[in-house]
């Protein structure tokens, strides 16, 4: 799904979580998870993108600045952002749409695409997927991304799956 948006990503993360719930119920549950409900990831996102309200849902987050909706469907949302993700400033341009994301080439920056979707998993079950791909624009961005990932990468497995676990539990209630 993300291969359509990035030519040669340097970094990829993937998470998935099954639930004993129908696809509609799992997608609705995932869309309702708020930043404040994910202690580790919520804090990290709000630290990296200052000014976000704790009550914001991830579904809302991926539909507003600094993100740009690249494509969406019934149980699918692909969003992107561009910029210098290693700075402590909100250093992200406002993208006008998918074509500006696709053609982004500012030196020293990256393009990041996030995909979230639900697939039926048989017998009334569904599986929630979350992927992120990062593509540096040039060598300098590649080096900065590598340095950043050396610090935060070891924690990604602990943090990235947190909203999926909450969504699965919520959908199964």
């Amino acid at each position: 799904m993300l291969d359509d948006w990035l030519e040669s990503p340097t970094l990829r993360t993937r998470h998935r979580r099954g639930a004993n719930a129908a696809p509609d119920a799992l997608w609705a549950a995932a869309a309702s998870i708020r930043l404040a409900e994910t202690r580790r990831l919520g804090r990290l996102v709000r630290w990296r993108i200052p000014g976000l309200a704790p009550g914001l849902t991830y579904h809302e987050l991926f539909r507003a600045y600094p993100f740009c909706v690249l494509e969406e469907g019934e149980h699918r949302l692909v969003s992107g952002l561009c910029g210098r993700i290693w700075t402590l400033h909100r250093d992200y341009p406002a993208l006008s749409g998918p074509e500006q994301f696709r053609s982004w080439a500012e030196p020293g920056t990256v393009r990041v695409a996030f995909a979230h979707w639900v697939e039926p998993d048989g017998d009334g079950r569904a599986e929630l997927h979350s992927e992120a791909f990062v593509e540096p624009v040039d060598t300098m961005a590649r080096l900065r991304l590598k340095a950043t990932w050396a610090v935060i990468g070891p924690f990604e497995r602990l943090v990235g799956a947190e909203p999926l676990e909450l969504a699965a539990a919520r959908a199964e209630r």
Side-chain angles (χ1 to χ4, degrees):
M1 186 177 307
L2 290 178
D3 293 327
D4 296 338
W5 292 100
L6 298 174
E7 296 171 15
S8 56
T10 297
L11 177 64
R12 298 173 186 229
T13 66
R14 292 185 170 114
H15 297 277
R16 65 180 183 200
R17 179 67 186 245
N20 191 19
D24 286 343
L26 184 53
W27 186 248
S32 73
I33 303 296
R34 299 186 180 286
L35 296 176
E37 294 177 282
T38 56
R39 286 176 265 154
R40 293 178 299 251
L41 182 58
R43 277 190 232 128
L44 180 63
V45 169
R46 291 180 56 227
W47 175 64
R48 295 301 301 131
I49 308 172
L52 295 177
L56 186 71
T57 67
Y58 284 92
H59 197 69
E60 294 166 329
L61 170 71
F62 285 112
R63 294 173 173 282
Y65 175 80
F67 297 94
C68 170
V69 173
L70 303 176
E71 67 178 80
E72 63 183 311
E74 184 180 9
H75 298 129
R76 169 182 98 253
L77 176 63
V78 180
S79 299
L81 67 79
C82 298
R84 293 174 181 87
I85 61 173
W86 42 82
T87 70
L88 295 179
H89 304 293
R90 196 172 179 158
D91 192 12
Y92 309 110
L95 299 173
S96 61
E99 287 312 311
Q100 187 178 15
F101 176 85
R102 192 180 303 277
S103 65
W104 183 262
E106 182 177 321
T109 64
V110 296
R111 295 188 304 154
V112 185
F114 298 88
H116 304 95
W117 73 97
V118 170
E119 293 178 344
D121 196 17
D123 296 326
R125 293 182 48 86
E127 190 169 64
L128 178 60
H129 296 259
S130 176
E131 294 187 357
F133 288 10
V134 184
E135 182 178 67
V137 169
D138 58 15
T139 302
M140 183 56 72
R142 184 173 278 101
L143 293 172
R144 287 190 173 158
L145 176 62
K146 185 177 180 179
T148 302
W149 192 248
V151 174
I152 65 170
F155 305 102
E156 192 277 331
R157 294 311 275 160
L158 296 172
V159 174
E162 195 175 19
L164 282 69
E165 294 167 6
L166 288 171
R170 186 169 292 171
E172 289 176 344
R173 281 189 226 138

